[in-house]
Amino acid sequence: MPKVLIVDDAAFMRTMLRKVLTDEGFECVEAANGHEALARYAEGRPDVVTLDITMPEMDGLEVLKALRKADETARVVMCSAMGQETLILDAIRAGAVDFIVKPFKADRVRAAMAKAMTKAPV
């Protein structure tokens, strides 16, 4: 069973993503902030990370860069609110596989995860 790390400071967003992903057969692990995300990633090396861009303390771009520095094969799907196009482009340039715009639709989450899972680690 593939494992995904869901990183978002909003508990309801983690719950919504977990519902979609468990229905698709993923084992889900959660983190509420960037520091927790880095620790959880190091503990379990999930197959994919969904990562919120806007979080306190350590934003998603910082986490993405730290993940890619620690593991250049990390597969990350960024999650962002509408109107963050510049941040999304920065995330793709920094190594994100895809992005999901909030509020998300289940079909878009499934498509992003399928893309991430079929992308060969770099």
Side-chain angles (χ1 to χ4, degrees), residues 5-75:
L5 171 59
I6 302 169
V7 185
D8 200 304
D9 57 319
F12 77 94
M13 289 303 299
R14 293 194 310 270
T15 299
M16 291 173 62
L17 276 169
R18 184 178 61 239
K19 170 74 173 104
V20 172
L21 295 170
T22 55
D23 286 352
E24 290 298 308
F26 285 91
E27 174 187 344
C28 296
V29 178
E30 297 180 25
N33 62 55
H35 299 292
E36 190 179 336
L38 295 174
R40 293 255 194 274
Y41 189 87
E43 289 168 7
R45 296 285 178 157
D47 298 291
V48 181
V49 177
T50 65
L51 182 56
D52 185 22
I53 287 181
T54 308
M55 294 185 295
E57 296 178 38
M58 186 178 202
D59 72 30
L61 288 174
E62 291 175 292
V63 177
L64 171 62
K65 289 173 185 174
L67 283 172
R68 297 285 295 171
K69 186 175 182 180
D71 179 4
E72 63 187 27
T73 67
R75 293 183 259 193

Short mmCIF file of all heavy atoms in Angstrom, two decimals, residues 5-75:
data_model
loop_
_atom_site.label_atom_id
_atom_site.label_comp_id
_atom_site.label_asym_id
_atom_site.label_seq_id
_atom_site.Cartn_x
_atom_site.Cartn_y
_atom_site.Cartn_z
N LEU A 5 2.29 11.37 2.93
CA LEU A 5 2.38 12.28 4.07
C LEU A 5 1.58 13.53 3.71
O LEU A 5 1.88 14.19 2.72
CB LEU A 5 3.84 12.64 4.35
CG LEU A 5 4.10 13.75 5.37
CD1 LEU A 5 3.51 13.41 6.73
CD2 LEU A 5 5.59 14.03 5.47
N ILE A 6 0.55 13.81 4.49
CA ILE A 6 -0.32 14.98 4.27
C ILE A 6 0.14 16.08 5.21
O ILE A 6 0.10 15.90 6.43
CB ILE A 6 -1.79 14.64 4.54
CG1 ILE A 6 -2.26 13.49 3.64
CG2 ILE A 6 -2.67 15.88 4.37
CD1 ILE A 6 -3.61 12.92 4.04
N VAL A 7 0.59 17.21 4.64
CA VAL A 7 1.09 18.31 5.46
C VAL A 7 0.22 19.54 5.23
O VAL A 7 0.16 20.08 4.12
CB VAL A 7 2.56 18.64 5.10
CG1 VAL A 7 3.09 19.72 6.04
CG2 VAL A 7 3.43 17.40 5.12
N ASP A 8 -0.46 19.96 6.28
CA ASP A 8 -1.31 21.16 6.22
C ASP A 8 -1.54 21.62 7.64
O ASP A 8 -1.76 20.79 8.53
CB ASP A 8 -2.64 20.85 5.53
CG ASP A 8 -3.34 22.09 5.01
OD1 ASP A 8 -3.58 23.02 5.82
OD2 ASP A 8 -3.63 22.13 3.81
N ASP A 9 -1.51 22.93 7.87
CA ASP A 9 -1.74 23.43 9.22
C ASP A 9 -3.22 23.41 9.59
O ASP A 9 -3.56 23.50 10.76
CB ASP A 9 -1.15 24.84 9.41
CG ASP A 9 -1.70 25.85 8.42
OD1 ASP A 9 -1.85 25.51 7.24
OD2 ASP A 9 -1.95 27.00 8.83
N ALA A 10 -4.10 23.24 8.62
CA ALA A 10 -5.55 23.18 8.88
C ALA A 10 -5.98 21.71 9.00
O ALA A 10 -5.90 20.94 8.04
CB ALA A 10 -6.32 23.86 7.77
N ALA A 11 -6.45 21.34 10.19
CA ALA A 11 -6.86 19.95 10.44
C ALA A 11 -7.95 19.50 9.48
O ALA A 11 -7.94 18.36 9.02
CB ALA A 11 -7.31 19.80 11.88
N PHE A 12 -8.90 20.39 9.17
CA PHE A 12 -10.00 19.98 8.27
C PHE A 12 -9.50 19.67 6.87
O PHE A 12 -10.02 18.79 6.20
CB PHE A 12 -11.12 21.03 8.25
CG PHE A 12 -10.83 22.25 7.43
CD1 PHE A 12 -11.26 22.33 6.13
CD2 PHE A 12 -10.13 23.33 7.97
CE1 PHE A 12 -10.99 23.44 5.35
CE2 PHE A 12 -9.87 24.45 7.21
CZ PHE A 12 -10.28 24.51 5.89
N MET A 13 -8.44 20.36 6.41
CA MET A 13 -7.89 20.07 5.08
C MET A 13 -7.18 18.71 5.10
O MET A 13 -7.31 17.94 4.15
CB MET A 13 -6.90 21.16 4.65
CG MET A 13 -7.55 22.48 4.30
SD MET A 13 -8.81 22.38 3.00
CE MET A 13 -7.88 21.77 1.62
N ARG A 14 -6.47 18.42 6.18
CA ARG A 14 -5.84 17.11 6.30
C ARG A 14 -6.89 16.01 6.29
O ARG A 14 -6.74 14.98 5.63
CB ARG A 14 -4.98 17.02 7.57
CG ARG A 14 -3.76 17.92 7.56
CD ARG A 14 -2.76 17.58 8.66
NE ARG A 14 -3.35 17.46 9.98
CZ ARG A 14 -3.48 18.47 10.85
NH1 ARG A 14 -3.08 19.69 10.53
NH2 ARG A 14 -4.00 18.25 12.06
N THR A 15 -7.99 16.24 7.00
CA THR A 15 -9.07 15.26 7.06
C THR A 15 -9.68 15.04 5.68
O THR A 15 -9.93 13.89 5.27
CB THR A 15 -10.15 15.72 8.05
OG1 THR A 15 -9.55 15.82 9.35
CG2 THR A 15 -11.32 14.74 8.10
N MET A 16 -9.92 16.12 4.95
CA MET A 16 -10.51 16.00 3.61
C MET A 16 -9.58 15.24 2.66
O MET A 16 -10.02 14.36 1.92
CB MET A 16 -10.85 17.38 3.06
CG MET A 16 -12.01 18.05 3.81
SD MET A 16 -12.29 19.76 3.30
CE MET A 16 -12.71 19.57 1.59
N LEU A 17 -8.31 15.57 2.69
CA LEU A 17 -7.35 14.87 1.83
C LEU A 17 -7.23 13.40 2.25
O LEU A 17 -7.19 12.51 1.39
CB LEU A 17 -5.98 15.53 1.89
CG LEU A 17 -5.77 16.72 0.97
CD1 LEU A 17 -4.48 17.44 1.30
CD2 LEU A 17 -5.78 16.29 -0.49
N ARG A 18 -7.17 13.14 3.55
CA ARG A 18 -7.07 11.77 4.04
C ARG A 18 -8.24 10.92 3.53
O ARG A 18 -8.07 9.78 3.11
CB ARG A 18 -7.00 11.73 5.57
CG ARG A 18 -6.79 10.31 6.10
CD ARG A 18 -6.65 10.24 7.61
NE ARG A 18 -7.85 10.73 8.26
CZ ARG A 18 -7.88 11.76 9.10
NH1 ARG A 18 -6.79 12.41 9.41
NH2 ARG A 18 -9.02 12.13 9.64
N LYS A 19 -9.44 11.48 3.55
CA LYS A 19 -10.63 10.75 3.08
C LYS A 19 -10.47 10.34 1.62
O LYS A 19 -10.68 9.17 1.27
CB LYS A 19 -11.88 11.63 3.27
CG LYS A 19 -13.14 11.10 2.60
CD LYS A 19 -13.73 9.92 3.35
CE LYS A 19 -15.08 9.52 2.77
NZ LYS A 19 -15.04 8.33 1.95
N VAL A 20 -10.10 11.29 0.77
CA VAL A 20 -9.93 10.99 -0.65
C VAL A 20 -8.82 9.95 -0.85
O VAL A 20 -8.98 8.99 -1.59
CB VAL A 20 -9.60 12.27 -1.46
CG1 VAL A 20 -9.23 11.95 -2.90
CG2 VAL A 20 -10.78 13.24 -1.43
N LEU A 21 -7.71 10.15 -0.16
CA LEU A 21 -6.55 9.28 -0.37
C LEU A 21 -6.73 7.88 0.19
O LEU A 21 -6.30 6.91 -0.43
CB LEU A 21 -5.30 9.95 0.20
CG LEU A 21 -4.91 11.25 -0.53
CD1 LEU A 21 -3.81 11.98 0.22
CD2 LEU A 21 -4.51 10.97 -1.97
N THR A 22 -7.37 7.75 1.34
CA THR A 22 -7.62 6.40 1.87
C THR A 22 -8.61 5.65 0.98
O THR A 22 -8.47 4.44 0.79
CB THR A 22 -8.12 6.42 3.34
OG1 THR A 22 -9.26 7.24 3.45
CG2 THR A 22 -7.04 6.90 4.28
N ASP A 23 -9.57 6.37 0.42
CA ASP A 23 -10.50 5.74 -0.53
C ASP A 23 -9.78 5.22 -1.77
O ASP A 23 -10.24 4.30 -2.43
CB ASP A 23 -11.60 6.72 -0.96
CG ASP A 23 -12.63 6.97 0.13
OD1 ASP A 23 -12.60 6.27 1.17
OD2 ASP A 23 -13.47 7.88 -0.06
N GLU A 24 -8.62 5.83 -2.08
CA GLU A 24 -7.81 5.42 -3.24
C GLU A 24 -6.77 4.37 -2.87
O GLU A 24 -5.96 3.99 -3.70
CB GLU A 24 -7.12 6.64 -3.86
CG GLU A 24 -8.08 7.59 -4.56
CD GLU A 24 -8.81 6.93 -5.72
OE1 GLU A 24 -8.14 6.34 -6.59
OE2 GLU A 24 -10.05 7.00 -5.76
N GLY A 25 -6.76 3.95 -1.61
CA GLY A 25 -5.85 2.89 -1.20
C GLY A 25 -4.52 3.34 -0.61
O GLY A 25 -3.61 2.53 -0.44
N PHE A 26 -4.40 4.63 -0.30
CA PHE A 26 -3.17 5.12 0.30
C PHE A 26 -3.21 4.97 1.82
O PHE A 26 -4.26 5.16 2.44
CB PHE A 26 -2.96 6.62 -0.02
CG PHE A 26 -2.51 6.88 -1.41
CD1 PHE A 26 -3.44 7.11 -2.41
CD2 PHE A 26 -1.17 6.93 -1.73
CE1 PHE A 26 -3.04 7.37 -3.72
CE2 PHE A 26 -0.75 7.18 -3.02
CZ PHE A 26 -1.69 7.40 -4.02
N GLU A 27 -2.08 4.67 2.40
CA GLU A 27 -1.89 4.77 3.84
C GLU A 27 -1.49 6.22 4.10
O GLU A 27 -0.59 6.74 3.43
CB GLU A 27 -0.77 3.83 4.29
CG GLU A 27 -0.42 3.96 5.75
CD GLU A 27 0.80 3.14 6.12
OE1 GLU A 27 1.20 2.25 5.34
OE2 GLU A 27 1.36 3.41 7.18
N CYS A 28 -2.13 6.88 5.04
CA CYS A 28 -1.89 8.31 5.28
C CYS A 28 -1.24 8.57 6.62
O CYS A 28 -1.63 7.98 7.64
CB CYS A 28 -3.20 9.10 5.20
SG CYS A 28 -3.96 9.04 3.57
N VAL A 29 -0.26 9.45 6.60
CA VAL A 29 0.40 9.97 7.79
C VAL A 29 0.24 11.48 7.69
O VAL A 29 0.26 12.03 6.59
CB VAL A 29 1.90 9.59 7.80
CG1 VAL A 29 2.60 10.16 9.01
CG2 VAL A 29 2.07 8.09 7.72
N GLU A 30 0.08 12.15 8.82
CA GLU A 30 -0.18 13.59 8.79
C GLU A 30 0.86 14.38 9.57
O GLU A 30 1.46 13.87 10.51
CB GLU A 30 -1.56 13.89 9.38
CG GLU A 30 -2.69 13.28 8.60
CD GLU A 30 -4.04 13.60 9.20
OE1 GLU A 30 -4.19 14.62 9.90
OE2 GLU A 30 -4.97 12.81 8.96
N ALA A 31 1.02 15.63 9.15
CA ALA A 31 1.86 16.60 9.86
C ALA A 31 1.16 17.95 9.80
O ALA A 31 0.59 18.31 8.77
CB ALA A 31 3.24 16.68 9.24
N ALA A 32 1.22 18.69 10.91
CA ALA A 32 0.52 19.97 10.99
C ALA A 32 1.42 21.17 10.69
O ALA A 32 0.93 22.29 10.57
CB ALA A 32 -0.08 20.14 12.39
N ASN A 33 2.73 20.94 10.54
CA ASN A 33 3.63 22.05 10.21
C ASN A 33 4.88 21.51 9.52
O ASN A 33 5.08 20.29 9.44
CB ASN A 33 3.98 22.86 11.47
CG ASN A 33 4.69 22.03 12.51
OD1 ASN A 33 5.73 21.42 12.25
ND2 ASN A 33 4.13 21.98 13.71
N GLY A 34 5.71 22.41 9.08
CA GLY A 34 6.89 22.03 8.32
C GLY A 34 7.90 21.22 9.10
O GLY A 34 8.46 20.24 8.59
N HIS A 35 8.15 21.60 10.34
CA HIS A 35 9.12 20.87 11.16
C HIS A 35 8.65 19.43 11.40
O HIS A 35 9.44 18.49 11.29
CB HIS A 35 9.34 21.60 12.49
CG HIS A 35 9.90 22.98 12.30
ND1 HIS A 35 11.16 23.22 11.82
CD2 HIS A 35 9.34 24.19 12.51
CE1 HIS A 35 11.37 24.52 11.74
NE2 HIS A 35 10.28 25.14 12.15
N GLU A 36 7.37 19.28 11.69
CA GLU A 36 6.79 17.95 11.89
C GLU A 36 6.85 17.15 10.59
O GLU A 36 7.13 15.95 10.60
CB GLU A 36 5.34 18.10 12.37
CG GLU A 36 4.70 16.84 12.84
CD GLU A 36 3.26 17.03 13.33
OE1 GLU A 36 2.88 18.15 13.73
OE2 GLU A 36 2.53 16.03 13.30
N ALA A 37 6.63 17.81 9.48
CA ALA A 37 6.68 17.14 8.17
C ALA A 37 8.06 16.57 7.89
O ALA A 37 8.18 15.42 7.45
CB ALA A 37 6.28 18.12 7.06
N LEU A 38 9.10 17.34 8.16
CA LEU A 38 10.46 16.86 7.92
C LEU A 38 10.78 15.66 8.80
O LEU A 38 11.40 14.69 8.34
CB LEU A 38 11.47 17.99 8.13
CG LEU A 38 11.35 19.16 7.14
CD1 LEU A 38 12.30 20.29 7.54
CD2 LEU A 38 11.61 18.70 5.72
N ALA A 39 10.33 15.71 10.05
CA ALA A 39 10.56 14.58 10.95
C ALA A 39 9.80 13.34 10.49
O ALA A 39 10.36 12.23 10.47
CB ALA A 39 10.14 14.96 12.37
N ARG A 40 8.53 13.51 10.12
CA ARG A 40 7.72 12.37 9.67
C ARG A 40 8.28 11.77 8.38
O ARG A 40 8.26 10.56 8.20
CB ARG A 40 6.27 12.80 9.45
CG ARG A 40 5.54 13.19 10.69
CD ARG A 40 4.56 12.09 11.09
NE ARG A 40 3.61 12.55 12.07
CZ ARG A 40 3.82 12.56 13.39
NH1 ARG A 40 4.97 12.17 13.86
NH2 ARG A 40 2.90 12.98 14.21
N TYR A 41 8.77 12.64 7.49
CA TYR A 41 9.35 12.14 6.24
C TYR A 41 10.58 11.28 6.55
O TYR A 41 10.74 10.19 6.01
CB TYR A 41 9.71 13.28 5.30
CG TYR A 41 10.11 12.78 3.93
CD1 TYR A 41 9.14 12.57 2.95
CD2 TYR A 41 11.43 12.48 3.63
CE1 TYR A 41 9.50 12.07 1.71
CE2 TYR A 41 11.79 11.98 2.39
CZ TYR A 41 10.83 11.78 1.43
OH TYR A 41 11.18 11.28 0.20
N ALA A 42 11.44 11.78 7.41
CA ALA A 42 12.66 11.04 7.76
C ALA A 42 12.33 9.71 8.43
O ALA A 42 13.03 8.72 8.21
CB ALA A 42 13.53 11.90 8.68
N GLU A 43 11.27 9.67 9.23
CA GLU A 43 10.86 8.44 9.92
C GLU A 43 10.37 7.36 8.96
O GLU A 43 10.67 6.19 9.13
CB GLU A 43 9.72 8.73 10.91
CG GLU A 43 10.09 9.49 12.13
CD GLU A 43 8.86 9.99 12.89
OE1 GLU A 43 7.72 9.61 12.54
OE2 GLU A 43 9.05 10.76 13.83
N GLY A 44 9.56 7.77 7.97
CA GLY A 44 8.87 6.76 7.17
C GLY A 44 9.07 6.80 5.68
O GLY A 44 8.59 5.92 4.98
N ARG A 45 9.77 7.80 5.15
CA ARG A 45 9.99 7.92 3.70
C ARG A 45 8.74 7.56 2.90
O ARG A 45 8.70 6.56 2.17
CB ARG A 45 11.16 7.05 3.25
CG ARG A 45 12.49 7.43 3.81
CD ARG A 45 13.02 8.68 3.16
NE ARG A 45 14.29 9.05 3.77
CZ ARG A 45 15.18 9.79 3.19
NH1 ARG A 45 14.98 10.25 1.98
NH2 ARG A 45 16.29 10.11 3.82
N PRO A 46 7.69 8.40 3.00
CA PRO A 46 6.47 8.10 2.24
C PRO A 46 6.71 8.17 0.74
O PRO A 46 7.69 8.78 0.28
CB PRO A 46 5.51 9.20 2.70
CG PRO A 46 6.40 10.32 3.12
CD PRO A 46 7.61 9.67 3.71
N ASP A 47 5.81 7.56 -0.01
CA ASP A 47 5.92 7.56 -1.47
C ASP A 47 5.66 8.94 -2.06
O ASP A 47 6.26 9.32 -3.06
CB ASP A 47 4.93 6.55 -2.07
CG ASP A 47 5.24 5.15 -1.61
OD1 ASP A 47 6.29 4.61 -2.03
OD2 ASP A 47 4.46 4.60 -0.82
N VAL A 48 4.72 9.68 -1.44
CA VAL A 48 4.33 11.02 -1.93
C VAL A 48 4.05 11.90 -0.71
O VAL A 48 3.60 11.41 0.32
CB VAL A 48 3.06 10.96 -2.81
CG1 VAL A 48 2.69 12.35 -3.34
CG2 VAL A 48 3.23 10.00 -3.97
N VAL A 49 4.30 13.19 -0.88
CA VAL A 49 3.96 14.19 0.14
C VAL A 49 3.00 15.19 -0.49
O VAL A 49 3.25 15.68 -1.60
CB VAL A 49 5.22 14.95 0.63
CG1 VAL A 49 4.85 16.03 1.63
CG2 VAL A 49 6.24 13.99 1.20
N THR A 50 1.89 15.47 0.19
CA THR A 50 1.05 16.61 -0.21
C THR A 50 1.43 17.72 0.76
O THR A 50 1.48 17.51 1.98
CB THR A 50 -0.46 16.33 -0.14
OG1 THR A 50 -0.85 16.09 1.21
CG2 THR A 50 -0.84 15.17 -1.04
N LEU A 51 1.72 18.90 0.24
CA LEU A 51 2.32 19.95 1.04
C LEU A 51 1.64 21.28 0.81
O LEU A 51 1.63 21.80 -0.31
CB LEU A 51 3.81 20.03 0.68
CG LEU A 51 4.70 21.01 1.38
CD1 LEU A 51 4.67 20.81 2.89
CD2 LEU A 51 6.13 20.87 0.86
N ASP A 52 1.06 21.82 1.88
CA ASP A 52 0.44 23.14 1.83
C ASP A 52 1.53 24.20 1.65
O ASP A 52 2.60 24.09 2.24
CB ASP A 52 -0.33 23.38 3.15
CG ASP A 52 -1.12 24.68 3.16
OD1 ASP A 52 -1.45 25.20 2.08
OD2 ASP A 52 -1.42 25.16 4.26
N ILE A 53 1.26 25.20 0.85
CA ILE A 53 2.24 26.26 0.64
C ILE A 53 2.26 27.23 1.82
O ILE A 53 3.32 27.59 2.32
CB ILE A 53 1.97 27.03 -0.68
CG1 ILE A 53 2.34 26.15 -1.87
CG2 ILE A 53 2.75 28.34 -0.72
CD1 ILE A 53 2.15 26.80 -3.22
N THR A 54 1.10 27.64 2.28
CA THR A 54 1.02 28.67 3.31
C THR A 54 0.84 28.05 4.69
O THR A 54 -0.24 27.55 5.01
CB THR A 54 -0.14 29.64 3.02
OG1 THR A 54 0.00 30.11 1.67
CG2 THR A 54 -0.14 30.81 3.97
N MET A 55 1.92 28.08 5.47
CA MET A 55 1.89 27.56 6.84
C MET A 55 2.74 28.49 7.71
O MET A 55 3.69 29.09 7.22
CB MET A 55 2.46 26.14 6.91
CG MET A 55 1.67 25.10 6.18
SD MET A 55 2.32 23.42 6.42
CE MET A 55 3.93 23.53 5.64
N PRO A 56 2.41 28.57 9.00
CA PRO A 56 3.24 29.38 9.89
C PRO A 56 4.59 28.72 10.17
O PRO A 56 4.74 27.52 9.93
CB PRO A 56 2.40 29.47 11.17
CG PRO A 56 1.50 28.29 11.13
CD PRO A 56 1.27 27.99 9.67
N GLU A 57 5.53 29.48 10.63
CA GLU A 57 6.87 29.04 11.02
C GLU A 57 7.73 28.67 9.83
O GLU A 57 8.76 29.27 9.60
CB GLU A 57 6.83 27.86 12.00
CG GLU A 57 6.21 28.17 13.34
CD GLU A 57 6.16 26.94 14.22
OE1 GLU A 57 7.11 26.13 14.22
OE2 GLU A 57 5.14 26.81 14.94
N MET A 58 7.32 27.68 9.07
CA MET A 58 8.09 27.20 7.92
C MET A 58 7.11 26.96 6.78
O MET A 58 6.27 26.08 6.87
CB MET A 58 8.80 25.90 8.32
CG MET A 58 9.74 25.35 7.31
SD MET A 58 10.54 23.86 8.00
CE MET A 58 11.98 23.81 6.97
N ASP A 59 7.18 27.79 5.73
CA ASP A 59 6.20 27.64 4.66
C ASP A 59 6.52 26.43 3.78
O ASP A 59 7.58 25.82 3.88
CB ASP A 59 6.04 28.93 3.85
CG ASP A 59 7.23 29.26 2.95
OD1 ASP A 59 7.91 28.34 2.47
OD2 ASP A 59 7.46 30.46 2.71
N GLY A 60 5.56 26.10 2.93
CA GLY A 60 5.69 24.92 2.10
C GLY A 60 6.88 24.92 1.16
O GLY A 60 7.48 23.88 0.91
N LEU A 61 7.24 26.08 0.64
CA LEU A 61 8.42 26.15 -0.24
C LEU A 61 9.69 25.82 0.52
O LEU A 61 10.57 25.12 0.00
CB LEU A 61 8.52 27.53 -0.90
CG LEU A 61 7.49 27.80 -1.98
CD1 LEU A 61 7.59 29.24 -2.47
CD2 LEU A 61 7.65 26.84 -3.14
N GLU A 62 9.80 26.29 1.75
CA GLU A 62 10.96 25.97 2.58
C GLU A 62 11.01 24.46 2.85
O GLU A 62 12.08 23.85 2.79
CB GLU A 62 10.91 26.72 3.91
CG GLU A 62 11.11 28.21 3.80
CD GLU A 62 10.91 28.89 5.14
OE1 GLU A 62 9.76 28.91 5.63
OE2 GLU A 62 11.91 29.39 5.70
N VAL A 63 9.86 23.89 3.16
CA VAL A 63 9.79 22.45 3.43
C VAL A 63 10.15 21.67 2.17
O VAL A 63 10.92 20.71 2.23
CB VAL A 63 8.38 22.04 3.94
CG1 VAL A 63 8.30 20.53 4.14
CG2 VAL A 63 8.05 22.78 5.23
N LEU A 64 9.61 22.07 1.03
CA LEU A 64 9.91 21.40 -0.23
C LEU A 64 11.41 21.40 -0.49
O LEU A 64 12.00 20.36 -0.82
CB LEU A 64 9.17 22.10 -1.38
CG LEU A 64 9.55 21.66 -2.80
CD1 LEU A 64 9.22 20.19 -3.03
CD2 LEU A 64 8.84 22.53 -3.82
N LYS A 65 12.04 22.54 -0.33
CA LYS A 65 13.49 22.63 -0.58
C LYS A 65 14.27 21.75 0.39
O LYS A 65 15.23 21.08 0.00
CB LYS A 65 13.94 24.09 -0.51
CG LYS A 65 13.43 24.89 -1.69
CD LYS A 65 13.73 26.37 -1.55
CE LYS A 65 13.09 27.14 -2.69
NZ LYS A 65 13.24 28.59 -2.51
N ALA A 66 13.84 21.73 1.66
CA ALA A 66 14.51 20.88 2.65
C ALA A 66 14.32 19.40 2.34
O ALA A 66 15.26 18.60 2.46
CB ALA A 66 14.00 21.21 4.06
N LEU A 67 13.10 19.03 1.92
CA LEU A 67 12.84 17.64 1.54
C LEU A 67 13.71 17.21 0.37
O LEU A 67 14.32 16.14 0.38
CB LEU A 67 11.37 17.43 1.18
CG LEU A 67 10.37 17.35 2.31
CD1 LEU A 67 8.95 17.34 1.76
CD2 LEU A 67 10.62 16.11 3.17
N ARG A 68 13.76 18.06 -0.65
CA ARG A 68 14.53 17.73 -1.86
C ARG A 68 16.03 17.71 -1.57
O ARG A 68 16.77 16.95 -2.19
CB ARG A 68 14.20 18.71 -2.98
CG ARG A 68 12.75 18.69 -3.46
CD ARG A 68 12.40 17.53 -4.30
NE ARG A 68 13.16 17.61 -5.54
CZ ARG A 68 13.23 16.65 -6.44
NH1 ARG A 68 12.57 15.55 -6.27
NH2 ARG A 68 13.94 16.80 -7.53
N LYS A 69 16.47 18.53 -0.61
CA LYS A 69 17.89 18.51 -0.23
C LYS A 69 18.22 17.21 0.50
O LYS A 69 19.25 16.59 0.26
CB LYS A 69 18.21 19.71 0.66
CG LYS A 69 19.67 19.83 0.99
CD LYS A 69 19.95 21.10 1.77
CE LYS A 69 21.44 21.22 2.05
NZ LYS A 69 21.76 22.42 2.80
N ALA A 70 17.32 16.77 1.37
CA ALA A 70 17.52 15.53 2.13
C ALA A 70 17.33 14.30 1.25
O ALA A 70 17.98 13.27 1.46
CB ALA A 70 16.55 15.48 3.32
N ASP A 71 16.41 14.40 0.28
CA ASP A 71 16.09 13.26 -0.59
C ASP A 71 15.68 13.80 -1.95
O ASP A 71 14.54 14.20 -2.15
CB ASP A 71 14.96 12.43 0.02
CG ASP A 71 14.55 11.24 -0.85
OD1 ASP A 71 15.19 11.00 -1.91
OD2 ASP A 71 13.58 10.56 -0.49
N GLU A 72 16.61 13.79 -2.88
CA GLU A 72 16.30 14.37 -4.19
C GLU A 72 15.26 13.58 -4.97
O GLU A 72 14.75 14.05 -5.98
CB GLU A 72 17.58 14.54 -5.02
CG GLU A 72 18.28 13.26 -5.35
CD GLU A 72 19.63 13.48 -6.03
OE1 GLU A 72 20.25 14.52 -5.82
OE2 GLU A 72 20.02 12.58 -6.80
N THR A 73 14.89 12.39 -4.48
CA THR A 73 13.84 11.60 -5.14
C THR A 73 12.46 11.85 -4.55
O THR A 73 11.49 11.24 -4.99
CB THR A 73 14.16 10.09 -5.07
OG1 THR A 73 14.07 9.65 -3.71
CG2 THR A 73 15.53 9.77 -5.64
N ALA A 74 12.37 12.73 -3.54
CA ALA A 74 11.07 13.00 -2.89
C ALA A 74 10.06 13.48 -3.93
O ALA A 74 10.35 14.36 -4.74
CB ALA A 74 11.24 14.04 -1.79
N ARG A 75 8.87 12.89 -3.88
CA ARG A 75 7.78 13.27 -4.79
C ARG A 75 6.78 14.10 -3.98
O ARG A 75 6.17 13.59 -3.04
CB ARG A 75 7.11 12.04 -5.37
CG ARG A 75 8.03 11.28 -6.30
CD ARG A 75 7.33 10.11 -6.91
NE ARG A 75 7.73 8.91 -6.18
CZ ARG A 75 7.49 7.68 -6.60
NH1 ARG A 75 6.86 7.46 -7.71
NH2 ARG A 75 7.88 6.65 -5.89
#
